[in-house]
Amino acid sequence: MIKSELNSSEFDPYYARYINKLTNETTLIEGFETGKKNVIDFFKTISKEKLAHRYLPEKWSVKEVFQHLIDTERIFMYRCFRIARRDTAPLTGYDQNIYVEPSRADEKSIEDLLNEFIINRNNSISLLNSLTDEDLSFIGNSNGGVLSARAAAFTIIGHDIWHMEVIKDKYL
């Protein structure tokens, strides 16, 4: 599955901000593999002091942003899985802000977060490898809008890029 095969009618316009971070030649598996390396390399370069940094008191720390990437991938892969399996039940949205405090991201070491990310990403890749193009093109209902399984997956890759750019711009 190549991003250029994705149609804008397969996802809510809100997700275009993430999907548009990808080139039209991005494939799902390669995108997830390359993204894994990029995320690992990126977070490994951030100093311990900067990992706890918040650019404003009410904003998340860098570690909390990293945990947000992990949690969002879990949620979007769950959506991808259910939609790919032809589940037509509407999938609810989620409030990302309520996930932060109970995650205790700031109490985790960067090694723990990296390990959690790697395990989660490998599970995502395994799931994607088990799906056919037909599975990935199935469209379901998520958060009150349309979402194909492949759009859910492509959103994850672009979401990572989006937040790494935010960290570079506002935190480092």
Side-chain angles (χ1 to χ4, degrees):
M1 160 50 47
I2 301 169
K3 182 201 159 202
S4 61
E5 297 172 1
L6 190 64
N7 186 309
S8 64
S9 65
E10 295 179 44
F11 54 89
D12 186 278
Y14 176 83
Y15 299 118
R17 68 174 61 193
Y18 306 125
I19 293 169
N20 289 341
K21 293 286 181 189
L22 310 174
T23 69
N24 283 335
E25 294 75 38
T26 302
T27 64
L28 273 180
I29 300 302
E30 181 183 322
F32 269 74
E33 290 285 1
T34 301
K36 179 171 76 171
K37 180 185 181 327
N38 291 343
V39 168
I40 292 167
D41 291 348
F42 177 75
F43 281 96
K44 279 184 173 182
T45 66
I46 300 174
S47 71
K48 186 176 181 178
E49 297 75 32
K50 286 289 186 180
L51 289 169
H53 178 66
R54 299 168 191 273
Y55 70 91
L56 290 173
E58 69 277 6
K59 295 298 184 179
W60 298 342
S61 70
V62 172
K63 281 185 179 180
E64 289 171 336
V65 174
F66 194 8
Q67 185 69 63
H68 167 69
L69 296 181
I70 296 164
D71 290 348
T72 299
E73 181 166 339
R74 288 177 170 133
I75 290 166
F76 272 76
M77 284 310 294
Y78 174 73
R79 292 174 180 179
C80 173
F81 172 71
R82 290 214 19 214
I83 293 167
R85 291 289 198 255
R86 314 312 195 266
D87 189 338
T88 58
L91 300 169
T92 60
Y94 81 106
D95 180 349
Q96 62 191 8
N97 292 310
I98 65 170
Y99 281 58
V100 176
E101 185 178 338
S103 78
R104 295 180 298 286
D106 284 333
E107 298 172 22
K108 297 177 183 178
S109 69
I110 189 61
E111 292 77 19
D112 288 341
L113 286 166
L114 286 163
N115 187 52
E116 188 175 346
F117 172 79
I118 291 166
I119 290 168
N120 191 55
R121 178 57 54 100
N122 288 342
N123 285 332
S124 297
I125 292 167
S126 179
L127 173 61
L128 290 170
N129 277 322
S130 76
L131 301 174
T132 66
D133 284 346
E134 182 182 349
D135 296 332
L136 289 165
S137 65
F138 194 76
I139 297 175
N141 181 324
S142 179
N143 200 23
V146 297
L147 185 69
S148 70
R150 61 189 180 189
F154 277 119
T155 298
I156 293 164
I157 310 168
H159 182 256
D160 290 347
I161 295 167
W162 173 280
H163 280 290
M164 287 188 294
E165 289 175 352
V166 168
I167 290 170
K168 286 177 195 172
D169 183 49
K170 296 189 180 276
Y171 289 82
L172 303 180

